[in-house]
Amino acid sequence: QLTKAGKFEVWIPRWTPGGYHLADFAKFVEDFNVEDESGNILKVEEVSDQKHWVIDPGKSTKIYIHYIANHSSPGGFDLSALEMEANRIKPTYAFINSTSLFAFVPGMLDRPTEVLLDLPKEWKTATALQKNKDGAYVAPNYYRLEDSHFLMSPALETVTYKVDNIPNEVACVGRGGDALKEISE
């Protein structure tokens, strides 16, 4: 939902928290397009030197941004620190690193954000975000979204425990039972 008229920029983060390097995740984005509430395609200019987009919403007050994000490992090395920043979609699990996938609009970082996942019915999700009544995960702002990754799988297991009376939860795929207990103790 737009609050004022005029062109605006859309970026995919160029960083990853704790990574201390430029990752340029936008280079993995394809088929970036924008439509208004009536389904009309809007004008988009790609700024290639820094890989972001400038959108002209015209008179639209509500727009929908669509894009495909391919494998987003800036290093491409298996099991490296850079590989940990990547998104993964496998037949048995999926992991979303929010900073390498979700776009933002400078100047709107403090606005609430919703993420609606379209998963197979038997899949479960672990994230720090809560769901709203429509089933979307809600972040009070982009800063919270970028710090809330998603782990999804039909085999997802979780264990809840307390430290200093504060509830914590550990979620994992492929290592359950005793391994989860060991992590939480």
Side-chain angles (χ1 to χ4, degrees):
Q1 191 76 22
L2 302 175
T3 55
K4 59 183 179 179
K7 292 181 181 180
F8 62 92
E9 296 179 351
V10 174
W11 290 76
I12 301 273
R14 299 182 72 203
W15 70 89
T16 187
Y20 308 108
H21 63 90
L22 288 179
D24 290 323
F25 293 113
K27 70 183 174 187
F28 301 102
V29 170
E30 297 176 358
D31 298 330
F32 189 96
N33 65 77
V34 182
E35 62 183 54
D36 65 15
E37 61 271 15
S38 299
N40 300 311
I41 301 297
L42 299 177
K43 182 179 177 189
V44 176
E45 174 191 347
E46 182 176 321
V47 181
S48 59
D49 64 326
Q50 294 183 327
K51 191 70 180 199
H52 68 277
W53 301 267
V54 177
I55 298 171
D56 183 353
K59 295 181 180 180
S60 301
T61 58
K62 192 174 203 177
I63 63 165
Y64 300 91
I65 299 172
H66 306 276
Y67 56 90
I68 295 172
N70 287 312
H71 183 70
S72 62
S73 173
F77 306 109
D78 286 337
L79 303 177
S80 72
L82 293 175
E83 184 67 18
M84 295 306 294
E85 299 167 354
N87 298 297
R88 291 176 282 293
I89 299 176
K90 305 287 184 183
T92 58
Y93 79 97
F95 174 75
I96 295 174
N97 177 350
S98 298
T99 50
S100 68
L101 183 64
F102 297 127
F104 67 92
V105 176
M108 294 185 172
L109 295 169
D110 290 324
R111 295 185 63 186
T113 304
E114 294 183 5
V115 175
L116 185 59
L117 301 172
D118 185 10
L119 298 171
K121 196 172 204 117
E122 67 277 5
W123 282 46
K124 298 173 263 185
T125 303
T127 184
L129 302 177
Q130 300 296 312
K131 279 186 175 182
N132 66 14
K133 63 179 174 55
D134 298 323
Y137 291 94
V138 180
N141 53 48
Y142 184 83
Y143 302 109
R144 179 65 188 272
L145 175 64
E146 76 173 351
D147 199 31
S148 301
H149 309 305
F150 295 81
L151 178 61
M152 301 148 286
S153 173
L156 183 78
E157 294 186 50
T158 60
V159 64
T160 302
Y161 61 98
K162 289 186 178 185
V163 175
D164 293 333
N165 215 23
I166 298 170
N168 292 272
E169 185 174 85
V170 174
C172 70
V173 175
R175 296 191 62 181
D178 292 339
L180 273 176
K181 269 189 167 175
E182 189 177 315
I183 291 169
S184 66
E185 292 178 346

